[in-house]
């Protein structure tokens, strides 16, 4: 490991899914070690058994929970929580898997706070299992925001040169449309500008996708653009001197961003963002949480319970997420200074 390499903490997600498999396949790629020192946060016994059964290298350096992580290692490190004490069936929701996945996330945040790792890259979790395990969070984004005391945050996806930022995430379409308001969009544009300045080391060029067909064509197909969105864009450009343009027709703006015309495109709702991202860059796109006091990346897929344990999962998204965490943490200019909040487990 060179002085320029970053220590990336990698949580293995839900062990009943493909998380452990894709993490092990990713760290088996020797080119990954040119980018960072990978530190897997999980259960060492389970990971060693998984590696051997999958025909993957199982030569790890194990660090016990609470011990100091070494600054250098020629082997992948497993930060061992030793928290799997019973069999977990692949493809099944369970409290054991959910509790373990929550503990991996908590540990990663603690290690970031102690500056023992530089960034976090996460394998997928199952929201029902997380709940069964006693953690009352919708997903990674909300969980990490709570742990770090982050009030302003957003889900984004990096796809090639483009970043897509979501105005709303896991809501019904009817509920998502109710959130297309001037104040909310203004806050998101300001957050996107601030956070991408930290992550990219430059002032970003931002575009905003309209919510209606052809961005309503001046009000012909809806009122949201003229009434809510365009005033927010104008205010951010004129009052806060942010390089933001729009609203643009959503059927073309993502391609323009992907080709490098903009650094970020703000989407009005979940599928408006993710359909574009996954069509343009599935397997190579990466989920990045904006607003946290450290870099956090994740895969662009779920736990894939239907193929868990079959050793057929693709690891490209995991590899890309880890590499992006290493890359962004080198340019990330925010000072790391926070104390993790504790989580009260429900029964």
């Amino acid at each position: 490991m060179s002085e320029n390499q970053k220590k990336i903490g990698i949580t293995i997600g839900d062990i009943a899914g493909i998380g452990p498999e894709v993490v092990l396949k990713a760290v088996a790629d020797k080119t990954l070690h040119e980018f960072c020192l990978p530190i897997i946060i999980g259960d060492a016994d389970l990971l060693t058994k998984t590696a051997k059964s999958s025909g993957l290298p199982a030569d790890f350096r194990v660090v016990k929970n609470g011990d100091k992580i070494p600054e250098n290692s020629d082997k992948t490190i497993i930060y061992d929580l030793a928290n799997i004490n019973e069999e977990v069936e692949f493809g099944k929701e369970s409290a054991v898997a959910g509790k373990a996945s929550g503990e991996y996330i908590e540990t990663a945040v603690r290690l970031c706070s102690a500056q023992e790792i530089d960034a976090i890259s996460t394998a997928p979790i199952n929201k029902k299992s997380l709940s069964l395990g006693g953690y009352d969070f919708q997903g990674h984004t909300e969980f990490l925001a709570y742990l770090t005391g982050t009030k302003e945050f957003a889900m984004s996806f990096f796809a090639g040169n483009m970043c897509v930022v979501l105005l709303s995430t896991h809501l019904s379409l009817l509920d998502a449309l109710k959130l297309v308001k001037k104040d909310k969009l203004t806050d998101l544009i300001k957050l996107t500008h601030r956070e991408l300045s930290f992550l990219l080391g430059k002032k970003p060029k931002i575009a905003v996708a309209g919510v209606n067909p052809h961005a309503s064509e001046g009000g012909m197909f809806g009122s949201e653009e003229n009434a809510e969105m365009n005033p927010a864009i104008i205010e951010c450009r004129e009052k806060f001197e942010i390089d933001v343009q729009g609203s643009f027709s959503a059927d073309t703006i993502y391609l323009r961003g992907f080709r490098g015309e903009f650094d970020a495109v703000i989407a009005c709702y979940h599928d408006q963002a993710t359909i574009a991202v996954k069509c343009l860059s599935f397997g190579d796109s990466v989920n990045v949480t904006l607003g946290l006091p450290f870099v956090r990346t994740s895969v662009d897929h779920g736990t894939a319970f239907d193929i868990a344990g079959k050793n057929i999962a693709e690891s490209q998204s995991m590899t890309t997420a880890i590499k992006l965490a290493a890359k962004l943490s080198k340019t990330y200019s925010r000072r790391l200074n926070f104390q993790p909040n504790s989580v009260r487990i429900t029964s």
Side-chain angles (χ1 to χ4, degrees):
M1 177 180 171
S2 71
E3 291 183 0
N4 293 326
Q5 283 180 312
K6 296 294 185 177
K7 294 189 289 185
I8 308 301
I10 308 162
T11 59
I12 63 173
D14 193 299
I15 61 171
I18 62 172
E21 178 186 336
V22 295
V23 169
L24 289 168
K25 286 180 176 178
V27 300
D29 180 355
K30 293 302 181 183
T31 64
L32 184 70
H33 296 252
E34 299 172 6
F35 289 82
C36 65
L37 172 59
I39 300 161
I40 304 176
I41 300 168
D43 182 285
D45 286 344
L46 178 138
L47 286 162
T48 300
K49 291 176 183 176
T50 302
K52 290 179 177 178
S53 66
S54 303
L56 296 168
D59 186 20
F60 306 112
R61 180 171 180 176
V62 178
V63 176
K64 292 182 180 179
N65 186 16
D67 288 352
K68 188 77 173 177
I69 294 175
E71 290 297 320
N72 295 283
S73 176
D74 57 357
K75 298 179 181 179
T76 294
I77 293 172
I78 295 179
Y79 193 81
D80 184 20
L81 269 63
N83 59 348
I84 306 299
N85 300 312
E86 59 184 271
E87 289 292 325
V88 172
E89 186 177 353
F90 285 119
K92 300 291 184 183
E93 297 163 345
S94 75
V96 173
K99 185 172 186 294
S101 66
E103 289 171 348
Y104 302 143
I105 297 166
E106 285 192 271
T107 300
V109 171
R110 174 175 61 80
L111 292 172
C112 261
S113 174
Q115 300 187 40
E116 288 202 58
I117 59 176
D118 298 297
I120 296 173
S121 192
T122 60
I125 58 175
N126 178 276
K127 296 175 180 62
K128 179 65 180 295
S129 293
L130 189 70
S131 178
L132 291 172
Y135 289 94
D136 187 23
F137 298 100
Q138 290 182 331
H140 269 114
T141 303
E142 295 79 11
F143 197 169
L144 291 165
Y146 172 81
L147 289 172
T148 57
T150 301
K151 303 301 182 185
E152 293 182 300
F153 57 90
M155 178 186 290
S156 74
F157 289 90
F158 278 58
N161 296 320
M162 176 180 65
C163 172
V164 178
V165 186
L166 283 68
L167 184 63
S168 62
T169 54
H170 302 117
L171 295 172
S172 73
L173 184 55
L174 286 175
D175 287 339
L177 293 177
K178 295 174 184 176
L179 297 179
V180 182
K181 298 296 181 183
K182 178 179 179 292
D183 289 347
K184 187 170 178 61
L185 182 58
T186 299
D187 288 343
L188 183 61
I189 293 170
K190 291 165 63 179
L191 174 70
T192 300
H193 171 78
R194 185 186 74 211
E195 294 303 313
L196 290 186
S197 296
F198 286 137
L199 286 169
L200 303 179
K202 66 176 184 178
K203 302 301 182 184
K205 295 182 66 175
I206 302 169
V208 179
V211 69
N212 292 298
H214 304 289
S216 84
E217 287 201 14
M220 292 180 65
F221 311 127
S223 61
E224 287 83 1
E225 284 81 6
N226 285 342
E228 305 290 345
M229 301 182 69
N230 295 338
I233 294 165
I234 292 169
E235 179 175 321
C236 286
R237 190 166 56 233
E238 295 183 353
K239 183 177 180 180
F240 301 107
E241 300 183 346
I242 295 172
D243 188 352
V244 57
Q245 299 178 47
S247 52
F248 295 107
S249 179
D251 61 359
T252 56
I253 191 57
Y254 297 102
L255 187 59
R256 292 172 64 186
F258 191 73
R259 289 175 172 172
E261 191 173 340
F262 299 97
D263 298 301
V265 177
I266 291 178
C268 289
Y269 56 91
H270 182 275
D271 284 11
Q272 188 189 53
T274 56
I275 290 172
V277 167
K278 292 182 180 183
C279 284
L280 288 168
S281 192
F282 188 75
D284 283 318
S285 59
V286 177
N287 184 345
V288 180
T289 305
L290 302 183
L292 300 175
F294 50 77
V295 173
R296 177 261 171 166
T297 67
S298 189
V299 293
D300 65 355
H301 58 74
T303 52
F305 274 177
D306 56 322
I307 62 170
K310 297 180 181 179
N311 196 28
I312 59 174
E314 294 285 342
S315 60
Q316 181 61 40
S317 184
M318 190 78 248
T319 302
T320 305
I322 298 168
K323 288 181 179 179
L324 183 62
K327 177 183 177 181
L328 292 177
S329 61
K330 289 180 180 179
T331 56
Y332 191 55
S333 59
R334 170 183 278 157
R335 179 180 291 276
L336 186 71
N337 185 19
F338 73 98
Q339 291 297 320
N341 289 322
S342 59
V343 178
R344 187 173 184 177
I345 303 295
T346 59
S347 56

